[in-house]
Amino acid sequence: MQMSEDLTSPKVTLTFLNVSKVISVPAKMIDPKSKAKFIERKLLDNVSGQIHPGQVVALMGPSGSGKTTLLNTLAGRNLSGVTGDVYFNNVKYQKSMKRKLAYVLQQDLFFESLTVKQQLTYTALLRLPSNLTRSEKLQQVETIIDTLKIRKCANTPIMLISGGEKKRVNIGTELLTNPNLIFLDEPTSGLDSTSAFALMETLRQLALQGKTIVTSIHQPSSQVFQSFDQLILLADGKTIFMGRPSDALSYFGTLGYKSPEQYNPADYVMDLVNQDMEVREKLKEAYITNKVSVYHRNSVTASERYLIAEPTENDLNFKKTDNHEEILGLTKNSKWPIGFFAQFRVLYRRSNQLTGKQQFTKLNIIQALALAIVVGLCWLRMGFTESSVPDRTSFVFFIMTFWPFHTLMGGLMSFPFERSVINKERASGSYRLSAYFMAKSVSEAPLKLVLPTAFLIIAYWMANINPFFPVFLGFLVFELLAILVAESIGLFIGASTRDVKHGLVIATVTLLGLLLVGGFFVKSLPHWLGVWAKWLSFFKYANDGCLRLAFSRNHQYICNLNGTYVSKCRTQSTFLGKDALAYAHVNLGIGQNFIVLFGMFIFFRTLAYLSLRFIKDKSGRT
Ligand SMILES: Nc1ncnc2c1ncn2[C@@H]1O[C@H](COP(=O)(O)OP(=O)(O)OP(=O)(O)O)[C@@H](O)[C@H]1O
């Protein structure tokens, strides 16, 4: 693989010394009768090892033995409760190193409507440094497509490609920056044995270029098992074997566990560690006895010679004169590969591509236009009469309710589905959350507003609300602003709840609550509620703003109901628009309504951003 000059980075030796991880689990989760609040669980217990460039190392062990936890720790993720040290080329792990490594997650998380090439291109534009030109970045995409043999599906949307291809795209996405240290969490899960073998061959090719590769794996075939350079076997967070895979059976043989002839060694090893607690405890003890003596032995025992020695501080070879940061290719000022505005531009384009398709579906267009015509027909060509006053207010109420409801629900669904992809991309240091949030807001807003605008053009003029054109424009501004406020509330609820169902409940209660306290249904709310709660309702500001506009310009209305709705009609035969405002209980002026709505928009957008940034994944996976 021919990498660009700027993408070459030093080879990495990974050393980890006495890595342990302890977490506090709510006691009730483990024992409902427990009186304690938290119980400590040790997920990793003094795991040490050293992995050299060019090696492919397998992490194996039963489910729950700590493979993913160890991978995460080595890759500098979820470090709370971790003790011990991880070194990349004798440099203790520091945050800036996360851009020097690749971490291929078990789940293949993408925006699946993008094609393979689009996915790789957006990633390359975001993650490759700004000293590469655009065409060099695109060239790197082509190189990765060839290396991972995914040219056949390059122009296919990811949702349509096979599991093996998806895994390759996942790996390719991480390899774009040409990292020399690669972690993979069960890359072969869900693949048939041929695809799994082919994938392992690809990893071997990458290792031949000097990359250091650590992968957890569940049930490798005999061939794949033997191809690893080192096997680290874990049980209950402890090492029970660290050596060459071909030595594993001999080692366990010396402890009295002999494999039947012709048995896949990987299967035997897994059967062994999956046995009862007693066997596992014996294996853990045996490893501790044998590994300790590796360093203090005079003569090697039968078991010891099958183990690879655990490293010590002495193996790190510190030289006072070395500038280790430089050796790793870390520069102090390289927090992000490209600047904020460059990130914004790429994310804006991607967001447009993703949401444009969802917004302008035939169904959405038909819905908006059909509804506009139905609304227009229901309120068709209202006369400027006293009897039209309630119908005019209900027209405003309808349009200021339907679109905000519709958009709030859309906003609600936005983050729960995108969040896992964003988290993955951000964990590898691809971009700032603020750049993503801005790009999403700016790119989606116009799309969200086109259909309501078309709707209003039709419905407003069919209903004959107010012939003065600036009034129509004011109406439009209020409608769009109400939509943006509603969307922001939806985004906020979506970003702060983990479960879509919870979000739906909160959104429904919020919307209906705001409608009720807005005074649209109950005209005389209980005093203690009515005096303050109505001011929380964005519906009220949008509605009042539009009513003021609808009844503005002192258009003349004819009294035809003797003052049923407008008191002036008891004494006069005509009245002006502003005389009808008392009927609609309008409080604030147009400007005031606008300012409050705009403030609400900024407030809820900011809350949505802060929730996205600070509300963490409650699953608390390690
Ligand atoms: N936040 C947490 N709270 C409680 N237990 C946790 C938490 N995170 C991880 N664990 C536990 O830690 C242990 C190790 O988990 P880990 O995911 O590392 O195992 P694994 O070997 O990768 O398993 P698998 O092969 O099934 O993916 C498991 O018993 C898991 O239940």
Side-chain angles (χ1 to χ4, degrees):
M1 173 163 59
Q2 194 58 51
M3 290 290 171
S4 157
E5 281 282 297
D6 290 298
L7 280 178
T8 50
S9 52
K11 296 182 175 164
V12 180
T13 297
L14 172 70
T15 310
F16 42 105
L17 297 180
N18 304 320
V19 170
S20 297
K21 174 157 180 138
V22 179
I23 59 162
S24 295
V25 189
K28 293 261 181 300
M29 269 169 68
I30 293 173
D31 175 9
K33 290 192 202 117
S34 170
K35 295 243 163 18
K37 252 191 152 182
F38 291 100
I39 291 178
E40 293 213 322
R41 273 196 68 185
K42 202 161 206 176
L43 306 189
L44 290 175
D45 192 357
N46 271 311
V47 183
S48 300
Q50 189 162 53
I51 303 166
H52 297 281
Q55 289 192 327
V56 183
V57 173
L59 277 182
M60 284 178 63
S63 187
S65 57
K67 302 181 293 292
T68 306
T69 309
L70 181 59
L71 275 179
N72 281 343
T73 307
L74 297 182
R77 298 187 178 193
N78 303 340
L79 291 180
S80 72
V82 170
T83 53
D85 294 311
V86 178
Y87 296 87
F88 294 180
N89 285 352
N90 305 344
V91 187
K92 238 189 209 177
Y93 178 81
Q94 42 190 271
K95 247 186 164 178
S96 53
M97 290 174 178
K98 76 174 171 188
R99 288 182 187 79
K100 292 281 155 195
L101 59 87
Y103 191 156
V104 180
L105 296 179
Q106 195 173 349
Q107 308 96 314
D108 303 313
L109 298 169
F110 306 106
F111 291 115
E112 298 224 336
S113 58
L114 296 179
T115 65
V116 169
K117 200 164 181 175
Q118 284 166 344
Q119 158 65 22
L120 293 172
T121 304
Y122 283 124
T123 309
L125 294 177
L126 285 168
R127 288 182 57 184
L128 293 181
S130 46
N131 55 353
L132 293 185
T133 62
R134 189 183 161 84
S135 66
E136 281 172 322
K137 292 181 182 182
L138 298 183
Q139 182 50 47
Q140 175 67 355
V141 170
E142 298 301 324
T143 310
I144 288 292
I145 288 178
D146 288 333
T147 311
L148 289 163
K149 305 189 179 73
I150 41 180
R151 184 146 310 273
K152 205 171 66 166
C153 60
N155 294 316
T156 311
I158 295 174
M159 63 178 94
L160 300 178
I161 66 180
S162 73
E165 287 167 336
K166 227 178 239 184
K167 188 56 75 184
R168 282 167 188 279
V169 177
N170 191 356
I171 298 175
T173 301
E174 301 305 325
L175 289 189
L176 277 165
T177 50
N178 193 26
N180 269 331
L181 180 55
I182 304 170
F183 297 100
L184 302 102
D185 194 5
E186 305 201 1
T188 55
S189 67
L191 300 189
D192 58 55
S193 60
T194 319
S195 313
F197 184 70
L199 187 63
M200 282 301 154
E201 268 305 293
T202 309
L203 293 185
R204 170 66 48 204
Q205 293 301 320
L206 292 168
L208 285 176
Q209 296 163 19
K211 295 185 191 297
T212 311
I213 299 177
V214 191
T215 175
S216 66
I217 191 157
H218 247 297
Q219 285 211 294
S221 65
S222 172
Q223 205 177 5
V224 167
F225 181 73
Q226 300 292 356
S227 75
F228 293 118
D229 299 293
Q230 198 185 128
L231 166 69
I232 299 176
L233 200 56
L234 295 176
D236 311 317
K238 291 187 173 153
T239 313
I240 54 171
F241 175 78
M242 187 165 72
R244 286 205 303 275
S246 53
D247 286 341
L249 292 190
S250 312
Y251 172 76
F252 291 119
T254 64
L255 303 179
Y257 301 101
K258 294 242 177 307
S259 159
E261 298 271 322
Q262 317 256 308
Y263 208 73
N264 173 359
D267 288 348
Y268 179 71
V269 166
M270 288 303 285
D271 287 351
L272 195 60
V273 289
N274 269 315
Q275 283 193 24
D276 52 31
M277 203 62 181
E278 206 182 313
V279 176
R280 286 218 297 275
E281 286 307 320
K282 274 193 192 149
L283 294 176
K284 287 182 215 164
E285 276 167 33
Y287 180 77
I288 290 171
T289 318
N290 290 310
K291 84 160 183 183
V292 170
S293 58
V294 167
Y295 301 108
H296 302 290
R297 66 193 167 202
N298 292 322
S299 60
V300 180
T301 67
S303 307
E304 285 167 357
R305 71 192 151 100
Y306 295 118
L307 296 179
I308 290 177
E310 284 193 0
T312 64
E313 291 263 355
N314 297 337
D315 296 316
L316 287 167
N317 262 334
F318 289 114
K319 281 192 223 130
K320 290 259 176 312
T321 50
D322 285 348
N323 182 345
H324 294 298
E325 271 81 4
E326 228 162 65
I327 292 174
L328 255 184
L330 297 170
T331 50
K332 293 266 182 295
N333 57 0
S334 64
K335 184 148 194 270
W336 301 99
I338 57 173
F340 178 89
F341 288 106
Q343 288 176 11
F344 173 83
R345 264 203 311 275
V346 179
L347 292 166
Y348 174 82
R349 232 175 301 141
R350 185 174 78 173
S351 180
N352 257 345
Q353 186 151 27
L354 287 169
T355 43
K357 284 182 201 160
Q358 289 162 18
Q359 294 288 316
F360 293 114
T361 59
K362 237 191 236 157
L363 268 181
N364 279 353
I365 297 171
I366 291 173
Q367 172 185 284
L369 299 184
L371 208 70
I373 292 168
V374 172
V375 168
L377 288 175
C378 288
W379 276 273
L380 192 63
R381 304 305 298 164
M382 283 182 284
F384 289 94
T385 57
E386 183 185 2
S387 59
S388 76
V389 170
D391 289 343
R392 287 172 185 278
T393 54
S394 63
F395 174 88
V396 171
F397 174 73
F398 182 83
I399 60 161
M400 287 302 150
T401 316
F402 168 71
W403 282 106
F405 255 84
H406 185 71
T407 330
L408 191 145
M409 292 302 171
L412 181 69
M413 299 298 169
S414 208
F415 289 133
F417 294 109
E418 290 193 8
R419 196 172 198 136
S420 48
V421 183
I422 308 163
N423 283 348
K424 172 188 134 169
E425 293 178 336
R426 295 226 337 118
S428 52
S430 304
Y431 49 78
R432 291 164 195 270
L433 189 63
S434 51
Y436 160 80
F437 194 79
M438 280 265 269
K440 184 175 166 67
S441 298
V442 175
S443 81
E444 288 185 3
L447 298 176
K448 291 241 159 71
L449 302 181
V450 169
L451 292 180
T453 303
F455 168 92
L456 193 68
I457 293 173
I458 299 171
Y460 180 96
W461 295 107
M462 279 179 82
N464 193 25
I465 297 298
N466 188 322
F468 191 55
F469 189 68
V471 168
F472 164 74
L473 290 182
F475 236 80
L476 187 59
V477 168
F478 270 100
E479 191 202 17
L480 300 186
L481 196 51
I483 287 172
L484 290 177
V485 173
E487 194 205 12
S488 307
I489 297 177
L491 290 175
F492 166 53
I493 297 174
S496 10
T497 46
R498 206 101 327 261
D499 187 335
V500 180
K501 281 192 222 136
H502 292 178
L504 269 173
V505 171
I506 296 174
T508 311
V509 174
T510 309
L511 276 174
L512 294 179
L514 290 178
L515 264 185
L516 286 171
V517 299
F520 298 106
F521 300 102
V522 195
K523 290 289 175 216
S524 40
L525 281 169
H527 183 69
W528 61 269
L529 184 66
V531 284
W532 59 272
K534 65 180 176 194
W535 302 111
L536 299 179
S537 175
F538 75 90
F539 290 114
K540 179 168 174 52
Y541 299 102
N543 196 68
D544 285 7
C546 282
L547 284 175
R548 281 220 179 257
L549 283 163
F551 292 114
S552 66
R553 299 297 299 175
N554 290 336
H555 204 87
Q556 218 172 43
Y557 290 71
I558 295 164
C559 294
N560 60 352
L561 290 177
N562 301 325
T564 312
Y565 300 121
V566 181
S567 55
K568 279 234 163 117
C569 289
R570 288 182 203 136
T571 54
Q572 298 176 4
S573 60
T574 61
F575 65 95
L576 295 177
K578 66 177 173 18
D579 300 324
L581 287 174
Y583 168 81
H585 299 281
V586 175
N587 304 97
L588 302 177
I590 295 173
Q592 289 162 319
N593 282 308
F594 176 84
I595 289 169
V596 179
L597 266 186
F598 191 75
M600 283 184 157
F601 165 58
I602 301 290
F603 177 71
F604 284 112
R605 276 288 144 143
T606 313
L607 276 189
Y609 170 73
L610 294 177
S611 309
L612 198 60
R613 166 146 228 131
F614 295 111
I615 297 182
K616 294 274 181 262
D617 191 345
K618 293 264 183 347
S619 75
R621 287 286 302 139
T622 58

